[in-house]
Amino acid sequence: MIRRHIGVARALSFALAAAAALTMTCGGSANAGIDATNHVIDRDGTDISVSLVDTAINFVAPLDDSFLTREWYHDGRAKIAITGDKAKDFKGTVIMGYQVGYPATFTGQLTFSWLSPNVSMNMGVGTPPTATVTLGIPSLGANLSVGNGPGVVDVEAIRTAITGCDNEMAVMAFHGSLTGVIGRTNIRPWVTVIADNGFRVTTVGPIFRA
């Protein structure tokens, strides 16, 4: 019988990317290569839509040369569109993460890590001000007890607050790695938007295999 294990790593709870940008306007923008989209309408009639755009996860040979390690770089964008009479007053949180499917583990433990040299965000309406934070090369991670497998682990990687009508978050060369897996590993990115009033919507992207 196939066992499906779901774990959640909450330690990675702020925006972290090799180059991450969050822009907020009310002017709208043209659609690019949309990989997945979903929406929900809250009790006030506000439509909250989230899309994954131009998603690419490129697996590379692991630096530790271990057959138990998978290493990748993630490029792509999350677009959040808020429409309705109260769209300009919208406040919420956007979260980006991964579902990771694996056939087996060596020790029953999986170790995730994320690495990035900086965080930059643009916030505002219309012509936004810019804030940039340089963090050296920070590294965050999480250890999950998952059993021998097979299974699926749900891991949060990026979280940040959003306001206003149209929001877009981009990640470029977001570096992730996973240690402890045996066999072929599948990674599927997802994005969730949670409004301050409790309404939430999630869209799930394509599967990338290593």
Side-chain angles (χ1 to χ4, degrees):
M1 178 179 177
I2 296 178
R3 293 181 300 164
R4 184 179 178 89
H5 184 95
I6 304 294
V8 180
R10 294 296 182 188
L12 314 181
S13 60
F14 58 87
L16 175 62
L22 180 63
T23 61
M24 303 176 182
T25 67
C26 291
S29 58
N31 290 332
I34 297 178
D35 301 301
T37 188
N38 201 3
H39 77 109
V40 68
I41 300 175
D42 71 10
R43 65 176 66 92
D44 296 321
T46 301
D47 191 311
I48 307 165
S49 175
V50 58
S51 301
L52 279 167
V53 180
D54 296 335
T55 307
I57 293 180
N58 299 305
F59 288 94
V60 295
L63 285 176
D64 61 7
D65 285 331
S66 171
F67 72 96
L68 301 176
T69 299
R70 306 292 180 268
E71 189 174 347
W72 66 88
Y73 288 90
H74 177 187
D75 295 333
R77 290 181 289 151
K79 297 179 67 175
I80 301 96
I82 313 298
T83 58
D85 293 340
K86 299 184 178 181
K88 291 184 178 180
D89 300 324
F90 178 83
K91 294 181 180 180
T93 302
V94 59
I95 308 168
M96 181 180 288
Y98 303 103
Q99 292 176 335
V100 180
Y102 57 93
T105 68
F106 187 68
T107 63
Q109 301 280 327
L110 291 179
T111 300
F112 293 85
S113 65
W114 320 102
L115 185 66
S116 170
N118 64 71
V119 174
S120 63
M121 292 184 184
N122 295 322
M123 297 184 178
V125 175
T127 303
T130 299
T132 300
V133 181
T134 300
L135 302 177
I137 304 181
S139 178
L140 289 179
N143 293 306
L144 304 181
S145 297
V146 297
N148 293 326
V152 175
V153 179
D154 196 8
V155 183
E156 178 182 313
I158 302 171
R159 174 187 289 252
T160 191
I162 57 174
T163 60
C165 303
D166 296 321
N167 305 271
E168 183 168 321
M169 178 174 65
V171 293
M172 287 76 73
F174 186 95
H175 181 203
S177 65
L178 166 65
T179 300
V181 294
I182 300 173
R184 186 170 184 171
T185 302
N186 300 321
I187 292 182
R188 181 164 52 196
W190 53 263
V191 173
T192 293
V193 174
I194 306 173
D196 282 0
N197 63 11
F199 280 76
R200 70 165 59 203
V201 59
T202 297
T203 191
V204 181
I207 297 175
F208 297 84
R209 296 178 169 90

